[in-house]
Amino acid sequence: MRPDIFLVYLLLRLFGLLPLRWLQGIGAGFGRLALKRGGKMARYTAVNIAITRPELDEQAQAALVREAMIEGGKSITEIVKIWGSGAEHALGLIREVRGEALFDAALASGKGVIIAAPHLGCWELLNYWLCRKTSMAILYRPPRIAAVEALLRKVRGALAPEQVRAEGAGVRALYKRLAGGGTVGILPDQKPRAGEGEFADFFGREAMTMVLLPRLAARTGSTVLFAFAERLPRGAGYRIHFLPAPEGLADADLPRACGALNRGVEDCVKLAFAQYQWHYKRYSADNRPSPYDF
């Protein structure tokens, strides 16, 4: 590990001693400041809220943007607690697991499990919980700074998932793991690369949607569950949710399957709307006008 990355690790360990409520409070302050400054994060959030909640008047939309910015700030600073305090200590912050029986049944079936975990709540804590229950591989794209991978392995410790790159050999590894009854985690709302997606409705507007997850489900017969870790108010901890996949997600017709995939993400988001990563340019696509160009 590079000296500068090791220093980051030591700082994480140090600041991880702070109470979760304090760290989330700092993050909330960052979110308010970012909203006041009106940068890209605030502008993209406002665009997405206007698209997804058109029934709200201007004042209500502004209030929701503010709430989403605050939650976005919390998601940045709470990671200090999740990574810095150690996996087992972080797991002690989970107060409730809803739908755990769905996950247990999927594991027991031996047909493989695909966890679709949107950019919602605290997904790093969800990874810890899943890896304590079973070994798991996650599809990921390498960080821009290669040395960060060593930091991730260090902070995740024994509860680190196997990281599979989003490329040919990695995808084949996912098929093999699922065929053997294993568990795989995928971000279902990650913007796919050119030629690897289909347009499908997402909160009333078409968004480019990955086809990999539906194809994995169709070819392996694995159970797909949606999951996320909801952030509870005032630093009280987290609540994990498991939801069944909507009908049609494994359909051979990819536009229908991608529509079901997005409905599954919507089902999760509706449970903790402001905790979704609304500053993500979900509706951008190379061959269509972008609502974020202004």
Side-chain angles (χ1 to χ4, degrees):
M1 184 182 294
R2 280 178 10 190
D4 56 338
I5 299 298
F6 185 68
L7 177 60
V8 172
Y9 169 73
L10 291 179
L11 290 173
L12 284 172
R13 296 291 292 179
L14 176 62
F15 288 106
L17 298 173
L18 294 175
L20 178 64
R21 185 172 182 176
W22 291 14
L23 290 167
Q24 288 183 343
I26 294 170
F30 287 158
R32 293 187 184 96
L33 179 61
L35 178 62
K36 186 176 181 179
R37 294 184 62 182
K40 289 183 178 180
M41 182 177 177
R43 289 186 283 118
Y44 296 162
T45 299
V47 169
N48 285 329
I49 295 299
I51 290 172
T52 57
R53 298 300 300 273
E55 76 280 5
L56 299 180
D57 61 29
E58 187 174 334
Q59 184 177 4
Q61 285 188 2
L64 188 52
V65 169
R66 181 177 183 274
E67 186 181 358
M69 290 292 291
I70 288 172
E71 294 296 330
K74 291 179 183 179
S75 72
I76 295 171
T77 54
E78 72 186 1
I79 206 66
V80 173
K81 190 70 174 179
I82 304 306
W83 284 350
S85 63
E88 291 298 336
H89 186 277
L91 285 168
L93 298 170
I94 297 173
R95 309 301 178 212
E96 182 184 6
V97 180
R98 295 184 178 177
E100 184 173 1
L102 293 172
F103 181 68
D104 289 340
L107 277 182
S109 73
K111 297 179 180 179
V113 185
I114 301 173
I115 299 296
H119 290 84
L120 177 66
C122 184
W123 49 87
E124 274 293 328
L125 185 60
L126 175 65
N127 277 345
Y128 283 163
W129 189 93
L130 290 166
C131 289
R132 187 170 66 173
K133 295 275 285 189
T134 185
S135 63
M136 184 178 73
I138 59 171
L139 188 69
Y140 87 116
R141 292 177 183 171
R144 293 180 180 178
I145 303 174
V148 172
E149 288 200 49
L151 175 65
L152 292 177
R153 288 194 297 270
K154 181 73 172 177
V155 297
R156 288 168 174 166
L159 293 183
E162 177 189 352
Q163 296 185 152
V164 176
R165 292 180 180 241
E167 55 191 29
V171 172
R172 289 191 293 273
L174 295 185
Y175 278 110
K176 184 177 180 180
R177 176 177 284 265
L178 291 171
T183 302
V184 164
I186 298 178
L187 295 167
D189 48 355
Q190 187 82 34
K191 182 182 175 183
R193 295 173 180 172
E196 298 178 357
E198 292 278 349
F199 281 103
D201 184 88
F202 182 62
F203 281 106
R205 180 177 178 135
E206 286 193 332
M208 181 58 71
T209 304
M210 69 158 57
V211 298
L212 174 60
L213 196 154
R215 282 174 172 166
L216 281 171
R219 294 180 185 178
T220 65
S222 300
T223 301
V224 179
L225 295 175
F226 285 78
F228 71 99
E230 177 189 4
R231 189 177 302 114
L232 299 177
R234 295 178 293 280
Y238 301 87
R239 176 186 296 121
I240 289 181
H241 298 263
F242 286 96
L243 287 76
E247 183 179 354
L249 192 148
D251 198 282
D253 179 60
L254 285 176
R256 181 170 184 264
C258 289
L261 180 65
N262 282 347
R263 286 196 302 276
V265 176
E266 290 176 3
D267 289 343
C268 293
V269 173
K270 289 173 183 176
L271 295 175
F273 196 90
Q275 293 184 28
Y276 190 62
Q277 190 173 292
W278 288 115
H279 59 273
Y280 186 56
K281 294 198 292 182
R282 186 70 177 87
Y283 296 101
S284 62
D286 294 337
N287 58 346
R288 292 193 181 186
S290 171
Y292 310 102
D293 294 338
F294 50 81

